[in-house]
Each structure stands twice: as structure tokens, then as C-alpha cells.
Amino acid sequence: MILNQDTPNLPPLPEFQGADEQDLTLEVFTHKSLNPNPDELKPGFGNADRLSVLGSQALSFAVTQFYFRYTPQLTAQEIILKANEVIQGPKIIEWLDAYPLLKTRLRRSQASNTDNIFASLAEASTHFHTYVGALQYSRGPQVVNAWIFGLLSLSEGVKVEDEDIPMQDPNPPPPASSSSASPPPPGYPQGPPPGPPPGYPASNAPPAGSPSIPTNFISLSFVHETATKRRVSIDYSAHKEGAAHTPSWTVCCIMDGVERGRGTSSKQKTAKEEAARNAFVAMGWA
């Protein structure tokens, strides 16, 4: 099926979120003909070229995963061929046509013609990859995969679901003892071993109420994935203080309109990650 903006059940265009939302929008929708310094690296995502590289890889993974889960199963060579048809072919231009905002919002110099820009497969692909990269950066892989799976399901006329693979606990609890286990021999002490003698340090087990997932395992994308699964909206507010060469960023993580976590750092991205982790724990998801 050829998709267009009137195609029934066309997935809604995902939007950027987070403290970088405005900067991402400006970067993605400013054509290089209007950007006086395209190589400048901004905090966090860098620039459009970096987003395009990220988006190209994210798109390739999502498309490959779709055809890997396709039914009936495809051979390895068939997966490669079908994925390349999407990634390297005119499907990108078709998807851009299905979402006119991706084209009309692009700011360009007066000398550049929008039709000429998107008539070039290379230019169109770069713009689409940049948008996907910004989504991957701000919303995480689950949002990208859900969108691409929706588009490909319509194109192929087959519904393919992206399976959610839960994150494994790096410290799984020990297996429960079997009720059929043999009882200890006569004379062997029953029940748990006695505690340490007075004055001897207790075990180094984490205190009650500590998170079951260590905070260093909680990534920004994992927080966003969990919030999406639980249908919790997530947003950020950022505030900078101090001199330009020694800034202090404070970022608040807001879930369903309520501040749940806060982070402070000299780098906005680090403060955002800390705020998201603190919110994750505050929501009781750890």
C-alpha cells in the first residue's frame, strides 16, 4: 500500500519531548542553507548531522526488527533485502508525503526550493533521519519502533507487534526453596542460621525501601519506556544559573503534571538524567 496523509489508521506523528524540545525542533527544521554554523555542537544532542546518524541507525534497527518479527518468517537474506528496500528506497519520500508538516515546517533560504529539496532521495533521507534521531534522543527507542512498526504494518497489510522485552534485574532474588526439598538430617539445626554475635557488623544487605534496580542501571530511555508503558506523561523544565563558562543546570522531571524528581549538574543532559532517575524511584518503579 502507498501511504498518504489520508490513509486510514495512519499513526500520529510523534513529537519531541523534554528540556531540549525547542532546541531539537529548531535544529531539525532548519535547512543547512539557512544555518550559518552547521558544525556547531550544542549541549546534549550536538547538531543535525549527529541526529541524522543516530536516526539512520535507529531506523535501520526498527525496520530490521519489523521484518524479523514478520509472519510468515522470512529468511535472513529476505530480511536484508526488504529492509534495504525501505531504508534505501523511495519509501522515505512516501512517508514524508504522508506527514506534510515534516516538509512545510522546514525553514530554508529563499534560494532553496522545498520541492527540489525533497525530490532528492539523499536530501529527503537526511531530513527524515534527523527527525527520527531527535525522536530517539528525546523519547527513546520504544516510540521510534512503535511509529515505524505502524507505518510498515500499513504498507505490508500485516499487523506486526513489537514485543516489549523487560529489563532483567541485575540482582535477581535467589530462587525460592522447593517444598519438596528433603528435610535436614537429625541433629542438623533447623531454621535460619543465627545472627552475628553482639558487636559484629551486620550483613551489607541494602536497607529496606532501597530500589531493587540500582540507579546506575536506570537510563533516560528506560525511564521514558516505563512511563510510556504505564501511560504516564513525562516532561522536563530546565533552569540555568552562573556564568557561561561555569553554568549550573537544575532540571525537574514532571510526570502527569507533578514534579517527581530533580537533578543538578554543570551539564544539562547530566542534570536531566539525574532528575529522571530520581523521578523513577519516587514513582515506585524501581
Side-chain angles (χ1 to χ4, degrees):
M1 176 190 291
I2 303 298
L3 305 186
N4 57 59
Q5 59 182 318
D6 298 320
T7 299
N9 301 319
L10 184 71
L13 181 66
E15 297 181 352
F16 311 144
Q17 290 184 0
D20 297 326
E21 178 182 350
Q22 292 183 349
D23 291 338
L24 283 170
T25 301
L26 185 62
E27 189 72 20
V28 170
F29 291 104
T30 300
H31 189 256
K32 60 185 178 182
S33 63
L34 201 62
N35 192 339
N37 191 8
D39 296 328
E40 178 187 0
L41 295 179
K42 301 173 180 63
F45 60 84
N47 57 23
D49 288 341
R50 280 167 48 91
L51 290 173
S52 179
V53 171
L54 178 64
S56 175
Q57 297 301 313
L59 177 64
S60 178
F61 177 77
V63 172
T64 302
Q65 193 173 29
F66 175 88
Y67 286 112
F68 182 84
R69 301 191 187 284
Y70 190 90
T71 302
Q73 284 188 347
L74 304 176
T75 66
Q77 188 61 29
E78 287 172 334
I79 292 174
I80 293 172
L81 290 175
K82 292 187 77 67
N84 285 341
E85 286 178 4
V86 173
I87 298 166
Q88 302 173 5
K91 183 65 69 175
I92 300 297
I93 294 179
E94 176 189 324
W95 288 349
L96 285 170
D97 289 339
Y99 297 97
L101 278 177
L102 288 179
K103 299 165 65 173
T104 58
R105 293 177 67 184
L106 183 65
R107 299 166 60 246
R108 67 198 187 284
S109 67
Q110 293 182 350
S112 301
N113 185 287
T114 303
D115 292 336
N116 292 339
I117 291 174
F118 291 108
S120 163
L121 180 58
E123 285 254 30
S125 296
T126 297
H127 181 59
F128 191 79
H129 292 162
T130 305
Y131 191 88
V132 173
L135 274 181
Q136 177 86 2
Y137 172 81
S138 68
R139 302 285 301 276
Q142 189 179 35
V143 171
V144 172
N145 285 4
W147 182 37
I148 300 303
F149 268 57
L151 291 172
L152 288 173
S153 291
L154 285 176
S155 294
E156 295 287 354
V158 176
K159 181 67 173 177
V160 177
E161 297 287 352
D162 181 17
E163 297 178 4
D164 291 328
I165 303 175
M167 178 179 176
Q168 294 184 348
D169 189 340
N171 298 306
S177 59
S178 172
S179 58
S180 60
S182 301
Y188 195 85
Q190 303 275 345
Y200 193 84
S203 69
N204 59 352
S210 62
S212 59
I213 302 177
T215 55
N216 59 313
F217 280 86
I218 303 173
S219 66
L220 189 63
S221 62
F222 184 59
V223 174
H224 288 184
E225 289 176 20
T226 305
T228 300
K229 291 177 184 177
R230 296 171 181 265
R231 301 184 182 278
V232 173
S233 66
I234 184 168
D235 201 355
Y236 298 89
S237 64
H239 177 68
K240 183 174 73 170
E241 295 180 341
H245 61 286
T246 57
S248 175
W249 284 94
T250 299
V251 177
C252 299
C253 182
I254 302 167
M255 293 188 173
D256 281 346
V258 179
E259 180 183 330
R260 296 293 186 179
R262 181 173 295 201
T264 303
S265 174
S266 59
K267 296 182 179 179
Q268 183 180 6
K269 186 174 186 293
T270 303
K272 180 179 180 181
E273 291 170 344
E274 181 184 348
R277 285 194 294 267
N278 290 337
F280 188 94
V281 174
M283 293 292 286
W285 297 344

PDB file of all heavy atoms in Angstrom, residues 259-276:
ATOM      1  N   GLU A 259       5.902  17.478  39.747  1.00  0.00           N
ATOM      2  CA  GLU A 259       7.352  17.288  39.814  1.00  0.00           C
ATOM      3  C   GLU A 259       7.660  16.066  40.672  1.00  0.00           C
ATOM      4  O   GLU A 259       7.239  15.971  41.826  1.00  0.00           O
ATOM      5  CB  GLU A 259       8.031  18.519  40.415  1.00  0.00           C
ATOM      6  CG  GLU A 259       9.548  18.355  40.500  1.00  0.00           C
ATOM      7  CD  GLU A 259      10.243  19.534  41.163  1.00  0.00           C
ATOM      8  OE1 GLU A 259       9.730  20.678  41.052  1.00  0.00           O
ATOM      9  OE2 GLU A 259      11.287  19.323  41.804  1.00  0.00           O
ATOM     10  N   ARG A 260       8.424  15.124  40.090  1.00  0.00           N
ATOM     11  CA  ARG A 260       8.748  13.883  40.788  1.00  0.00           C
ATOM     12  C   ARG A 260      10.239  13.721  41.055  1.00  0.00           C
ATOM     13  O   ARG A 260      10.637  12.906  41.879  1.00  0.00           O
ATOM     14  CB  ARG A 260       8.266  12.684  39.963  1.00  0.00           C
ATOM     15  CG  ARG A 260       6.763  12.616  39.788  1.00  0.00           C
ATOM     16  CD  ARG A 260       6.058  12.340  41.095  1.00  0.00           C
ATOM     17  NE  ARG A 260       4.627  12.130  40.902  1.00  0.00           N
ATOM     18  CZ  ARG A 260       3.786  11.843  41.883  1.00  0.00           C
ATOM     19  NH1 ARG A 260       4.231  11.735  43.123  1.00  0.00           N
ATOM     20  NH2 ARG A 260       2.500  11.678  41.632  1.00  0.00           N
ATOM     21  N   GLY A 261      11.063  14.466  40.331  1.00  0.00           N
ATOM     22  CA  GLY A 261      12.500  14.330  40.522  1.00  0.00           C
ATOM     23  C   GLY A 261      13.224  15.579  40.079  1.00  0.00           C
ATOM     24  O   GLY A 261      12.734  16.338  39.234  1.00  0.00           O
ATOM     25  N   ARG A 262      14.406  15.794  40.659  1.00  0.00           N
ATOM     26  CA  ARG A 262      15.189  16.986  40.333  1.00  0.00           C
ATOM     27  C   ARG A 262      16.654  16.598  40.264  1.00  0.00           C
ATOM     28  O   ARG A 262      17.122  15.757  41.031  1.00  0.00           O
ATOM     29  CB  ARG A 262      14.953  18.066  41.388  1.00  0.00           C
ATOM     30  CG  ARG A 262      15.706  19.361  41.139  1.00  0.00           C
ATOM     31  CD  ARG A 262      15.295  20.441  42.116  1.00  0.00           C
ATOM     32  NE  ARG A 262      13.897  20.831  41.948  1.00  0.00           N
ATOM     33  CZ  ARG A 262      13.399  21.979  42.372  1.00  0.00           C
ATOM     34  NH1 ARG A 262      14.167  22.850  42.990  1.00  0.00           N
ATOM     35  NH2 ARG A 262      12.116  22.263  42.187  1.00  0.00           N
ATOM     36  N   GLY A 263      17.378  17.206  39.332  1.00  0.00           N
ATOM     37  CA  GLY A 263      18.807  16.947  39.189  1.00  0.00           C
ATOM     38  C   GLY A 263      19.565  18.238  38.954  1.00  0.00           C
ATOM     39  O   GLY A 263      19.043  19.172  38.341  1.00  0.00           O
ATOM     40  N   THR A 264      20.794  18.293  39.448  1.00  0.00           N
ATOM     41  CA  THR A 264      21.632  19.483  39.298  1.00  0.00           C
ATOM     42  C   THR A 264      23.013  19.066  38.826  1.00  0.00           C
ATOM     43  O   THR A 264      23.594  18.104  39.343  1.00  0.00           O
ATOM     44  CB  THR A 264      21.756  20.240  40.635  1.00  0.00           C
ATOM     45  OG1 THR A 264      20.452  20.584  41.106  1.00  0.00           O
ATOM     46  CG2 THR A 264      22.572  21.514  40.463  1.00  0.00           C
ATOM     47  N   SER A 265      23.528  19.779  37.828  1.00  0.00           N
ATOM     48  CA  SER A 265      24.855  19.467  37.298  1.00  0.00           C
ATOM     49  C   SER A 265      25.336  20.639  36.456  1.00  0.00           C
ATOM     50  O   SER A 265      24.558  21.529  36.094  1.00  0.00           O
ATOM     51  CB  SER A 265      24.813  18.190  36.447  1.00  0.00           C
ATOM     52  OG  SER A 265      26.055  17.951  35.823  1.00  0.00           O
ATOM     53  N   SER A 266      26.624  20.616  36.141  1.00  0.00           N
ATOM     54  CA  SER A 266      27.173  21.638  35.245  1.00  0.00           C
ATOM     55  C   SER A 266      26.762  21.377  33.799  1.00  0.00           C
ATOM     56  O   SER A 266      26.911  22.246  32.944  1.00  0.00           O
ATOM     57  CB  SER A 266      28.700  21.665  35.348  1.00  0.00           C
ATOM     58  OG  SER A 266      29.242  20.398  35.003  1.00  0.00           O
ATOM     59  N   LYS A 267      26.241  20.168  33.519  1.00  0.00           N
ATOM     60  CA  LYS A 267      25.772  19.817  32.182  1.00  0.00           C
ATOM     61  C   LYS A 267      24.274  19.544  32.228  1.00  0.00           C
ATOM     62  O   LYS A 267      23.792  18.815  33.094  1.00  0.00           O
ATOM     63  CB  LYS A 267      26.510  18.587  31.649  1.00  0.00           C
ATOM     64  CG  LYS A 267      28.001  18.806  31.457  1.00  0.00           C
ATOM     65  CD  LYS A 267      28.664  17.565  30.885  1.00  0.00           C
ATOM     66  CE  LYS A 267      30.150  17.783  30.660  1.00  0.00           C
ATOM     67  NZ  LYS A 267      30.813  16.573  30.113  1.00  0.00           N
ATOM     68  N   GLN A 268      23.549  20.122  31.273  1.00  0.00           N
ATOM     69  CA  GLN A 268      22.096  19.977  31.262  1.00  0.00           C
ATOM     70  C   GLN A 268      21.680  18.518  31.099  1.00  0.00           C
ATOM     71  O   GLN A 268      20.754  18.047  31.765  1.00  0.00           O
ATOM     72  CB  GLN A 268      21.499  20.827  30.140  1.00  0.00           C
ATOM     73  CG  GLN A 268      19.967  20.803  30.096  1.00  0.00           C
ATOM     74  CD  GLN A 268      19.407  21.654  28.969  1.00  0.00           C
ATOM     75  OE1 GLN A 268      20.149  22.179  28.154  1.00  0.00           O
ATOM     76  NE2 GLN A 268      18.102  21.800  28.917  1.00  0.00           N
ATOM     77  N   LYS A 269      22.369  17.777  30.238  1.00  0.00           N
ATOM     78  CA  LYS A 269      21.997  16.383  29.992  1.00  0.00           C
ATOM     79  C   LYS A 269      22.179  15.540  31.249  1.00  0.00           C
ATOM     80  O   LYS A 269      21.342  14.698  31.576  1.00  0.00           O
ATOM     81  CB  LYS A 269      22.833  15.810  28.851  1.00  0.00           C
ATOM     82  CG  LYS A 269      22.429  14.402  28.425  1.00  0.00           C
ATOM     83  CD  LYS A 269      23.216  13.977  27.197  1.00  0.00           C
ATOM     84  CE  LYS A 269      22.717  12.627  26.676  1.00  0.00           C
ATOM     85  NZ  LYS A 269      23.002  11.536  27.608  1.00  0.00           N
ATOM     86  N   THR A 270      23.282  15.783  31.978  1.00  0.00           N
ATOM     87  CA  THR A 270      23.520  15.026  33.207  1.00  0.00           C
ATOM     88  C   THR A 270      22.459  15.337  34.252  1.00  0.00           C
ATOM     89  O   THR A 270      21.959  14.440  34.948  1.00  0.00           O
ATOM     90  CB  THR A 270      24.915  15.354  33.763  1.00  0.00           C
ATOM     91  OG1 THR A 270      25.900  15.079  32.759  1.00  0.00           O
ATOM     92  CG2 THR A 270      25.221  14.527  35.000  1.00  0.00           C
ATOM     93  N   ALA A 271      22.088  16.621  34.372  1.00  0.00           N
ATOM     94  CA  ALA A 271      21.045  17.009  35.322  1.00  0.00           C
ATOM     95  C   ALA A 271      19.706  16.379  34.941  1.00  0.00           C
ATOM     96  O   ALA A 271      18.935  15.946  35.803  1.00  0.00           O
ATOM     97  CB  ALA A 271      20.922  18.530  35.371  1.00  0.00           C
ATOM     98  N   LYS A 272      19.430  16.308  33.644  1.00  0.00           N
ATOM     99  CA  LYS A 272      18.180  15.707  33.172  1.00  0.00           C
ATOM    100  C   LYS A 272      18.134  14.219  33.509  1.00  0.00           C
ATOM    101  O   LYS A 272      17.110  13.697  33.965  1.00  0.00           O
ATOM    102  CB  LYS A 272      18.059  15.914  31.657  1.00  0.00           C
ATOM    103  CG  LYS A 272      16.803  15.325  31.033  1.00  0.00           C
ATOM    104  CD  LYS A 272      16.778  15.606  29.538  1.00  0.00           C
ATOM    105  CE  LYS A 272      15.542  15.024  28.876  1.00  0.00           C
ATOM    106  NZ  LYS A 272      15.517  15.281  27.414  1.00  0.00           N
ATOM    107  N   GLU A 273      19.257  13.528  33.303  1.00  0.00           N
ATOM    108  CA  GLU A 273      19.305  12.096  33.608  1.00  0.00           C
ATOM    109  C   GLU A 273      19.107  11.851  35.101  1.00  0.00           C
ATOM    110  O   GLU A 273      18.400  10.922  35.505  1.00  0.00           O
ATOM    111  CB  GLU A 273      20.642  11.520  33.142  1.00  0.00           C
ATOM    112  CG  GLU A 273      20.792  11.484  31.629  1.00  0.00           C
ATOM    113  CD  GLU A 273      22.199  11.135  31.188  1.00  0.00           C
ATOM    114  OE1 GLU A 273      23.118  11.212  32.044  1.00  0.00           O
ATOM    115  OE2 GLU A 273      22.385  10.787  30.012  1.00  0.00           O
ATOM    116  N   GLU A 274      19.732  12.699  35.932  1.00  0.00           N
ATOM    117  CA  GLU A 274      19.576  12.552  37.382  1.00  0.00           C
ATOM    118  C   GLU A 274      18.126  12.794  37.800  1.00  0.00           C
ATOM    119  O   GLU A 274      17.573  12.067  38.633  1.00  0.00           O
ATOM    120  CB  GLU A 274      20.504  13.529  38.111  1.00  0.00           C
ATOM    121  CG  GLU A 274      20.417  13.431  39.633  1.00  0.00           C
ATOM    122  CD  GLU A 274      21.281  14.468  40.331  1.00  0.00           C
ATOM    123  OE1 GLU A 274      22.114  15.110  39.661  1.00  0.00           O
ATOM    124  OE2 GLU A 274      21.115  14.637  41.554  1.00  0.00           O
ATOM    125  N   ALA A 275      17.500  13.813  37.209  1.00  0.00           N
ATOM    126  CA  ALA A 275      16.104  14.108  37.531  1.00  0.00           C
ATOM    127  C   ALA A 275      15.199  12.942  37.142  1.00  0.00           C
ATOM    128  O   ALA A 275      14.283  12.568  37.889  1.00  0.00           O
ATOM    129  CB  ALA A 275      15.664  15.383  36.812  1.00  0.00           C
ATOM    130  N   ALA A 276      15.454  12.347  35.974  1.00  0.00           N
ATOM    131  CA  ALA A 276      14.635  11.219  35.516  1.00  0.00           C
ATOM    132  C   ALA A 276      14.802  10.015  36.438  1.00  0.00           C
ATOM    133  O   ALA A 276      13.826   9.337  36.777  1.00  0.00           O
ATOM    134  CB  ALA A 276      15.014  10.850  34.085  1.00  0.00           C
TER     135      ALA A 276
END
